[in-house]
Amino acid sequence: MATLPAATRSICPHCGAGLDAQLIDRDGRVILRRECPEHGAIEALAYGDSGRWCDAQRYDRPGASPLLRQTATAEGCPRDCGICPEHAQHTCLGIIEVNTACNLDCPVCFAESGTGQQPDGYSLSLAQVESMLDAFVAAEGEPEAVQLSGGEPSIHPEILDMLAAAKARGIPLVMLNTNGIRLARDARFAPALAALRIHVYLQFDGFDDATHLAIRGRRLQAIKQAALDRCAAAGVGVSLAAAVERGINEHELGAIVRFGVEHPAVNGVFFQPVTHTGRHPAFDPLDRLTNVEVIRGLCEQLAEWFREDDFVAVPCCSPTCRSATYALYDGEDLVPLPRLVDVDRYLGFVTNRAVPDVEVAAALAGLFSASAAGGTERTGDRLECVACGVGLPDELQRIAARGFMVVAQDFQDEWTLDVAKLRKCCVAEIVPDGRIIPFCAYNAAGYRAQVRAALAAGTTA
């Protein structure tokens, strides 16, 4: 099991140079430290609690290789994406950004999308998306989940055809990442998504005017409510995705979860500490939010529902990237699943196919996976399997239909890029030339700019 200090590799956030780096324990926090010949010593907060960081390493599991490796090892990670022979995990969740245009100009946007003319902007064709989906299927065999994103994908004129193309390839979980404006304004859109059995991943950062103005640039509370109500009426499942930034909306964590639990369309909340790449507010790299601060803030604000040990490090990626809990809700009380089953016991058997509890292990691994979305049919099936395997009481099995997932997901940026974590990344961008590039490398190691420049020039590399 990894301990501190730990050696790794990183990059300089100023010039991108690859550097030897160290994770150290300083005052109970994990600091990523390196030195650039040109820019000097560079430090950033990698994780907010060194004790929890060390404990999470017990969830580190060997990865599963993709069927295809698309690039060779030449310069070394993170310069050979992807997926190169050094990568140690397959892709649980593939992301296709279908456009760069948006109907918002958010002050926080790692993709740097917007309403204005973009010299390197693009809009993919249906044929391009179909080719990218085929590349994903070839690399994975049976992909678990894909998300169409942007920009704002709902404004793409072929978005429904693109979503249908993903479903036609047998991908069980197909998601639309959206700000909700079209859902709120177009009465036909939610029913169209329902007909395709699409899951909506909805930006939802809080309730205060100050939060909306700081993160999205305008007040969107009525838009979000209308979008969710249309989804509920059409039977579309929704996960709320909250960008969380220090000093802006960390006080709203509990209110977001409580709202989500009580809204009939919502079956999960994904908290994402702001990735400081693209557009973002000025910040102190030693005072950024990480998963542990988000989890603690939520537990303080909803102490009647959650405690810190309800959140399990997700084993399919590096264990400090994502922590999740799956809870049962009966309309009044919420009970996190880790209080009902010994999650540690079963997750420890995930890669050992000889144990008799393998089906229970697989079900738990599926729940605590980057490809899971609370309340989807597939997640419900897994929970039913868990219930059968460990003997949940009948009343809890009935409540299971109202399962609710809460996730804290800390993506890496130029300041926090840790090559050892990156090699285990299971969330990846699928790009038009068929490469599958780990999401954090795509944002932090220059791939986004390369892909946009190539598309703007009319090429696919």
Side-chain angles (χ1 to χ4, degrees), residues 12-188:
C12 173
H14 307 293
C15 66
L19 304 170
D20 289 330
Q22 227 185 6
L23 292 163
I24 63 170
D25 183 343
R26 180 185 295 159
D27 300 325
R29 305 191 308 162
V30 181
I31 306 297
L32 178 64
R33 181 175 66 186
R34 65 275 203 197
E35 185 160 345
C36 175
E38 182 178 354
H39 296 100
I42 300 162
E43 294 186 340
L45 178 65
Y47 202 72
D49 187 311
S50 56
R52 191 176 176 98
W53 184 95
C54 290
D55 181 66
Q57 303 311 308
R58 63 197 171 99
Y59 292 100
D60 198 7
R61 301 284 185 266
S65 293
L67 295 180
L68 295 178
R69 301 284 180 169
Q70 300 157 312
T71 57
T73 300
E75 299 181 54
C77 188
R79 302 299 176 196
D80 298 325
C81 298
I83 287 179
C84 81
E86 292 186 9
H87 202 71
Q89 182 59 296
H90 79 115
T91 301
C92 293
L93 171 63
I95 300 172
I96 296 177
E97 296 185 2
V98 302
N99 58 4
T100 55
C102 191
N103 45 15
L104 290 176
D105 292 294
C106 299
V108 175
C109 180
F110 61 78
E112 295 191 273
S113 300
T115 61
Q117 180 65 32
Q118 299 168 319
D120 61 347
Y122 66 83
S123 179
L124 299 181
S125 68
L126 175 60
Q128 284 175 304
V129 170
E130 288 177 326
S131 175
M132 295 155 77
L133 289 167
D134 289 339
F136 189 33
V137 172
E140 287 293 311
E142 296 181 354
E144 299 174 44
V146 69
Q147 183 179 101
L148 299 195
S149 186
E152 172 50 45
S154 70
I155 67 174
H156 194 294
E158 295 183 290
I159 187 59
L160 291 173
D161 293 329
M162 292 171 173
L163 292 165
K167 295 298 290 189
R169 282 154 177 81
I171 301 174
L173 177 59
V174 179
M175 290 183 277
L176 177 70
N177 184 352
T178 180
N179 57 33
I181 293 175
R182 182 175 177 184
L183 276 166
R185 293 178 176 171
D186 182 353
R188 300 166 299 175

Side-chain angles (χ1 to χ4, degrees), residues 414-432:
E414 292 93 333
W415 289 90
T416 59
L417 190 70
D418 175 350
V419 165
K421 289 176 66 174
L422 187 63
R423 288 193 180 117
K424 190 76 184 299
C425 185
C426 65
V427 177
E429 292 271 354
I430 308 164
V431 300

Side-chain angles (χ1 to χ4, degrees), residues 340-394:
L340 305 174
V341 300
D342 185 353
V343 172
D344 284 5
R345 174 189 174 197
Y346 290 110
L347 286 182
F349 293 151
V350 167
T351 57
N352 184 350
R353 312 307 289 182
V355 298
D357 298 297
V358 66
E359 290 300 323
V360 178
L364 282 165
L367 287 173
F368 296 93
S369 162
S371 64
T376 63
E377 180 179 352
R378 192 173 185 203
T379 304
D381 289 345
R382 287 178 177 133
L383 185 57
E384 183 179 356
C385 179
V386 173
C388 293
V390 298
L392 290 179
D394 290 343

Side-chain angles (χ1 to χ4, degrees), residues 230-275:
R230 288 200 189 276
C231 286
V236 174
V238 179
S239 293
L240 304 181
V244 188
E245 179 65 300
R246 175 78 76 189
I248 293 179
N249 62 336
E250 55 195 316
H251 65 289
E252 297 196 77
L253 304 171
I256 292 170
V257 170
R258 187 178 292 281
F259 173 85
V261 164
E262 293 175 353
H263 195 284
V266 180
N267 37 51
V269 174
F270 288 69
F271 291 113
Q272 299 172 352
V274 166
T275 303

Side-chain angles (χ1 to χ4, degrees), residues 170-446:
I171 301 174
L173 177 59
V174 179
M175 290 183 277
L176 177 70
N177 184 352
T178 180
N179 57 33
I181 293 175
R182 182 175 177 184
L183 276 166
R185 293 178 176 171
D186 182 353
R188 300 166 299 175
F189 194 49
L193 296 179
L196 291 170
R197 301 180 72 185
I198 303 302
H199 187 84
V200 165
Y201 197 72
L202 180 70
Q203 291 174 2
F204 197 97
D205 309 304
F207 304 93
D208 294 351
D209 283 352
T211 295
H212 283 251
L213 293 173
I215 297 180
R216 302 299 165 198
R218 53 182 280 200
R219 298 175 181 87
L220 294 167
Q221 294 96 323
I223 290 286
K224 304 296 183 181
Q225 184 69 56
L228 285 167
D229 291 347
R230 288 200 189 276
C231 286
V236 174
V238 179
S239 293
L240 304 181
V244 188
E245 179 65 300
R246 175 78 76 189
I248 293 179
N249 62 336
E250 55 195 316
H251 65 289
E252 297 196 77
L253 304 171
I256 292 170
V257 170
R258 187 178 292 281
F259 173 85
V261 164
E262 293 175 353
H263 195 284
V266 180
N267 37 51
V269 174
F270 288 69
F271 291 113
Q272 299 172 352
V274 166
T275 303
H276 295 103
T277 188
R279 289 197 305 270
H280 56 80
F283 76 107
D284 179 351
L286 287 171
D287 191 33
R288 57 186 294 274
L289 285 178
T290 69
N291 285 348
V292 68
E293 289 86 18
V294 169
I295 291 168
R296 283 181 178 159
L298 177 62
C299 292
E300 290 170 2
Q301 294 167 35
L302 284 180
E304 69 274 26
W305 281 355
F306 297 108
R307 59 186 188 225
E308 285 187 50
D309 61 4
D310 293 327
F311 289 83
V312 178
V314 174
C316 61
C317 50
S318 179
T320 55
C321 288
R322 175 183 287 233
S323 293
T325 194
Y326 194 89
L328 308 180
Y329 183 60
D330 66 355
E332 183 174 340
D333 293 323
L334 182 143
V335 182
L337 187 66
R339 300 188 197 178
L340 305 174
V341 300
D342 185 353
V343 172
D344 284 5
R345 174 189 174 197
Y346 290 110
L347 286 182
F349 293 151
V350 167
T351 57
N352 184 350
R353 312 307 289 182
V355 298
D357 298 297
V358 66
E359 290 300 323
V360 178
L364 282 165
L367 287 173
F368 296 93
S369 162
S371 64
T376 63
E377 180 179 352
R378 192 173 185 203
T379 304
D381 289 345
R382 287 178 177 133
L383 185 57
E384 183 179 356
C385 179
V386 173
C388 293
V390 298
L392 290 179
D394 290 343
E395 61 270 22
L396 289 181
Q397 294 188 39
R398 290 193 296 272
I399 294 168
R402 192 63 178 96
F404 197 87
M405 179 171 279
V406 181
V407 178
Q409 169 72 67
D410 190 5
F411 292 110
Q412 300 177 87
D413 54 36
E414 292 93 333
W415 289 90
T416 59
L417 190 70
D418 175 350
V419 165
K421 289 176 66 174
L422 187 63
R423 288 193 180 117
K424 190 76 184 299
C425 185
C426 65
V427 177
E429 292 271 354
I430 308 164
V431 300
D433 65 6
R435 284 178 298 157
I436 298 173
I437 300 175
F439 184 77
C440 295
Y442 191 75
N443 289 316

